[in-house]
Amino acid sequence: MSELSNLNKLTIDFYRKDVLTVAEGLLGKIFVKAEKNVILAGKIVEVEAYNGVIDEAAHSFRGKTKRNEVMFNKGGLLYVYFTYGVHYCCNVVTGEQDEGNAVLIRGIEPVSGIDIMAGNRFKKGSDFKIENIANGPGKICKAFNINLLDNGVDLTGDYIYILDNVKIPENRIVKTKRIGITKSADLPWRFYIKENGFVSKK
DNA sequence: CCACGGATTGGCT
DNA sequence: GCCAATCCGTGGA
């Protein structure tokens, strides 16, 4: 992969597309959180698409609420939600106003600020595997220190953003059913990079 | 009002 | 493999 400084930030055009197109397109891109003194960054290796119109598993399916209102904006925002009373998960809002579409980020391969992310995830001094830092949606938010304060952040800004990178070829992408849901469970809307060790589950 | 379960994770049996 | 953690949205009484 190129140096991060050589990569361009994804622009609004990327996000205002169909949710499945954006989901697949996000694979291989570099998710970045620029904190005061450190850059946290990693390659997106696993995602799931959620559609507010035809997908009962989407938070937006039953209409706008305080929790999910960010999902109904135009694409290009970060949607963060709190679940199981314990974890945060982060999503990329896609498409047009009031569609309620978003892509859940489920797996990230750490690239920069790895020691900081490990510190966010594990007790100081404990042994860990780099593969286990951000191989799951809750783990990603812990590693990147993302919470409800970051809900609605503009991804075209300078705080949390995504860098363009080489497109993952179609034959390197695995498409399967989504994980951990019971409604609309058969939709093949999970995408991950084949044989990548930072995917949450096989 | 109350009960239930969720786009999860990690610890313990 | 099982289950607690622990908040909040949803649905039924």
Side-chain angles (χ1 to χ4, degrees), chain A residues 50-53 58-64 68 71-72 99-101:
Chain A
Y50 288 85
N51 179 310
V53 179
H59 290 164
S60 49
F61 184 76
R62 287 162 193 80
K64 195 184 288 187
N68 66 22
M71 276 186 89
F72 289 88
E99 285 183 347
N101 292 351

Side-chain angles (χ1 to χ4, degrees), chain A residues 25-148:
Chain A
L26 280 173
L27 292 177
K29 304 294 190 282
I30 311 299
F31 183 86
V32 180
K33 181 166 181 246
E35 299 191 331
K36 266 178 291 190
N37 300 312
V38 67
I39 299 287
L40 305 179
K43 182 163 76 171
I44 298 170
V45 303
E46 178 189 359
V47 298
E48 286 177 356
Y50 288 85
N51 179 310
V53 179
I54 61 171
D55 170 16
E56 288 195 67
H59 290 164
S60 49
F61 184 76
R62 287 162 193 80
K64 195 184 288 187
T65 65
K66 195 156 197 171
R67 179 203 204 195
N68 66 22
E69 60 183 355
V70 169
M71 276 186 89
F72 289 88
N73 282 286
K74 293 178 187 172
L77 300 185
L78 190 72
Y79 165 50
V80 181
Y81 67 87
F82 184 57
T83 191
Y84 291 102
V86 185
H87 303 292
Y88 299 98
C89 296
C90 73
N91 304 250
V92 172
V93 178
T94 74
E96 299 303 323
Q97 186 73 32
D98 293 328
E99 285 183 347
N101 292 351
V103 177
L104 172 70
I105 302 183
R106 288 194 57 95
I108 283 184
E109 176 176 340
V111 169
S112 182
I114 297 174
D115 50 342
I116 304 292
M117 290 193 262
N120 290 340
R121 282 270 295 126
F122 308 108
K123 278 188 186 144
K124 193 178 176 185
S126 64
D127 283 337
F128 65 89
K129 289 182 178 152
I130 188 171
E131 291 83 359
N132 196 32
I133 291 178
N135 60 338
K139 297 176 184 180
I140 289 169
C141 286
K142 193 89 189 295
F144 282 80
N145 191 28
I146 288 172
N147 55 54
L148 288 182

Side-chain angles (χ1 to χ4, degrees), chain A residues 20 23-24 27 45-50 106 170 172-181 184-195 199-202:
Chain A
L20 296 176
E24 253 191 276
L27 292 177
V45 303
E46 178 189 359
V47 298
E48 286 177 356
Y50 288 85
R106 288 194 57 95
E170 198 66 16
R172 302 298 306 159
I173 296 177
V174 180
K175 306 176 185 183
T176 65
K177 294 176 185 177
R178 297 172 295 179
I179 291 180
I181 56 172
S184 298
D186 289 334
L187 294 172
W189 287 359
R190 173 172 179 246
F191 306 91
Y192 64 89
I193 298 176
K194 192 177 288 184
E195 291 163 8
V199 170
S200 64
K201 292 184 186 174
K202 171 173 58 72

